[in-house]
Amino acid sequence: MASLIVRNAHILDPSGGVDIAAGCLAVRDGLIAYVGGDGIEAATAAGPGATVADAGGLLLTPGFVDMHVHLREPGNEAEETIASGARAAVMGGFASIVAMPNTDPPVDNESAIIFTRREARRAGYANVFPVGTVTAGRSGQELAEMAQMARGGAVAYSDDGAAVPSAGLLRRALSYAKMLDKPILEHCEDKSLLADGVMDEGYMSTALGLGGIPAECEEIVVARDVALARLTGGHVHIQHVSTAKSVALIRLAKLEGVRVTAEVTPHHLTLTSDCLRDYDPVYKVSPPLRSMEDVLACREGLRDGVIDAIASDHAPHLQGEKELEFAFAPTGMIGLETTVGVVSTVLVRSGLFTWPEIVPALSSRPSDILKLGRGRLAAGLPGDLTLIDPLRAWTADPDAFHSRSRNCPFNGWKLEGRAVLTAVGGAVLFDLDGRAVRFLP
Ligand code: DOR
């Protein structure tokens, strides 16, 4: 187990009221042992043989948690493996990722959950927390073995890529998940309204001659899901919110005390359907990119806490498939290695948000939703850390990424701010500037 001292850091964990301008943090044997201003106390707490990193005044936050990631193992290892995704995660500043179960075959049983955890441990990069399907085979027909998957270490249930199709089935799923004290993560999309839609329905879809997906395709399912959470007392988490009315529905439900939480992606916070004007499938995603009004509503939802978390929905696809004609290309975009830079540039450097407003959405809140026991800087918790250089200028270049896939909509963007060091359990797994030094014991 690793021991680490990070000194000369601006330590920031808004969830615990921690904001220390020139602080030290010590990790001993994998667990946080000291957070404060005294270097000698930190050295004592870390014990002998600790690695030492001088943060140079940069921002030290809880290790970021990405609660929505697609690893393609088993089934599509050319796109991503558990190891390559977990490695891309630490390179992007994420100490923990949550793996969606829409693999091939789907993760719908206990041994598949155990396999994911074992492969992640063997890889030794980010912590990987697996999600199991709601329905057996992700077929939308009958419930999967939810309790067994919980026993194997599933942190939640989701048929992501699709909503649970029937209200009756979701009602039962929410009741079971409540007994197991876990949320259901819902991809809100009504299949019958999706039809042959491939982009947001509106002026652009008409102009481009592409099939439209109305906002109601998402909102009808959000309304249904919130109603079922109210009925059952279960916890529903709305994935990748994309429309203004979805934000309004979740706001109302939260005011009523319904157990609902929500996430938004960096692309739904920054890009609109205007990106599709050249028919480039790199911008094809589910739910689709929407209007500027929707983008602004998502930002507002994030600001006032209606939307709890920022999650990448990292969805790797082969370049050959992404280069198909728009209607035939798969949906999804990678995000593990751009999320911090895009959020920093578009939300923080622009002056719209401060880091104290953003950090919980990337750490304590996703951790709390899934009860991961991470995402905070407090003694006794795992030594997961992210060091951010808020002013670092860099250009997003998918060829330099560690993900196996290249379908990045931010290719070529000039970004300001990035993660420069990631530690998991006190072990420095990514260190852009080589600031961590290991002294011989
Ligand atoms: O665009 C998407 N791609 N949205 C999803 O919900 C699933 C994902 C995938 O698995 O490719």
Side-chain angles (χ1 to χ4, degrees):
M1 289 297 246
S3 296
L4 172 68
I5 301 166
V6 184
R7 58 188 175 85
N8 192 17
H10 178 178
I11 306 179
L12 183 66
D13 172 15
S15 73
V18 178
D19 189 345
I20 307 169
C24 294
L25 188 146
V27 179
R28 185 179 194 135
D29 296 336
L31 301 179
I32 295 174
Y34 176 81
V35 184
D38 190 325
I40 294 175
E41 274 191 47
T44 311
T51 297
V52 179
D54 189 316
L58 301 181
L59 210 53
L60 186 68
T61 67
F64 285 165
V65 178
D66 189 340
M67 68 179 298
H68 192 147
V69 170
H70 295 273
L71 306 173
R72 301 302 194 195
E73 186 177 0
N76 284 295
E77 289 82 355
E79 295 177 340
E80 202 75 282
T81 63
I82 293 164
S84 68
R87 181 157 183 237
V90 295
M91 300 297 169
F94 290 99
S96 298
I97 56 177
V98 177
M100 290 304 129
N102 63 336
T103 48
D104 186 14
V107 176
D108 71 348
N109 61 80
E110 184 180 3
S111 52
I113 295 280
I114 291 170
F115 168 79
T116 306
R117 293 177 59 210
R118 197 188 56 209
E119 288 305 300
R121 258 199 315 277
R122 190 151 53 191
Y125 294 110
N127 306 301
V128 177
F129 296 98
V131 170
T133 58
V134 177
T135 65
R138 232 181 116 254
S139 64
Q141 301 293 313
E142 55 191 57
L143 293 185
E145 295 172 339
M146 294 171 67
Q148 283 93 327
M149 287 195 282
R151 186 175 62 192
V155 296
Y157 307 96
S158 178
D159 276 2
D160 184 36
V164 176
S166 109
L169 201 55
L170 183 59
R171 176 188 186 173
R172 262 194 293 141
L174 277 164
S175 300
Y176 277 113
K178 183 183 170 190
M179 285 193 288
L180 299 164
D181 199 20
K182 305 207 181 299
I184 303 253
L185 320 177
E186 269 276 89
H187 172 118
C188 294
E189 190 174 69
D190 182 304
K191 277 262 181 299
S192 64
L193 278 176
L194 184 64
D196 60 354
V198 290
M199 67 172 292
D200 184 43
E201 183 169 300
Y203 171 81
M204 278 303 278
S205 63
T206 308
L208 295 174
L210 292 172
I213 305 169
E216 286 76 2
C217 180
E218 173 172 309
E219 291 151 3
I220 283 170
V221 181
V222 172
R224 179 201 73 169
D225 286 10
V226 160
L228 293 172
R230 189 189 297 113
L231 175 66
T232 59
H235 174 181
V236 72
H237 172 83
I238 310 296
Q239 299 185 295
H240 39 51
V241 171
S242 78
T243 83
K245 285 210 181 65
S246 292
V247 177
L249 286 163
I250 297 163
R251 177 176 284 114
L252 203 63
K254 282 195 167 185
L255 283 172
E256 282 182 67
V258 176
R259 289 181 71 199
V260 57
T261 52
E263 72 190 30
V264 64
T265 68
H267 44 278
H268 290 111
L269 287 167
T270 52
L271 307 176
T272 68
S273 58
D274 283 358
C275 293
L276 274 60
R277 76 180 78 79
D278 295 329
Y279 297 90
D280 186 344
V282 80
Y283 300 107
K284 185 174 176 185
V285 66
S286 171
L289 301 176
R290 304 276 188 191
S291 67
M292 193 38 114
E293 186 190 316
D294 294 308
V295 167
L296 295 178
C298 287
R299 290 181 187 173
E300 205 45 47
L302 182 64
R303 165 170 312 291
D304 57 22
V306 170
I307 295 178
D308 303 83
I310 299 171
S312 74
D313 192 5
H314 177 84
H317 288 289
L318 291 179
Q319 204 55 17
E321 289 188 6
K322 265 304 207 184
E323 282 166 2
L324 292 172
E325 197 180 318
F326 197 92
F328 300 104
T331 56
M333 30 183 77
I334 57 171
L336 280 170
E337 290 165 272
T338 47
T339 290
V340 173
V342 169
V343 165
S344 173
T345 308
V346 180
L347 299 186
V348 183
R349 292 298 297 149
S350 63
L352 292 173
F353 287 80
T354 62
W355 278 111
E357 288 168 333
I358 289 294
V359 166
L362 287 165
S363 54
S364 55
R365 292 205 214 115
S367 173
D368 288 354
I369 288 167
L370 297 165
K371 303 185 183 69
L372 305 182
R374 292 166 192 267
R376 288 190 158 75
L377 298 179
L381 293 185
D384 296 354
L385 309 169
T386 299
L387 186 69
I388 299 165
D389 182 345
L391 301 178
R392 178 71 64 101
W394 61 293
T395 303
D397 173 13
D399 287 336
F401 289 167
H402 293 80
S403 168
R404 286 199 174 175
S405 289
R406 299 280 168 268
N407 50 309
C408 169
F410 302 107
N411 185 5
W413 277 38
K414 302 260 181 270
L415 299 173
E416 227 173 88
R418 74 179 293 179
V420 294
L421 181 147
T422 311
V424 179
V428 176
L429 301 180
F430 166 59
D431 183 8
L432 188 65
D433 305 318
R435 62 184 70 238
V437 181
R438 208 190 140 81
F439 296 102
L440 289 177

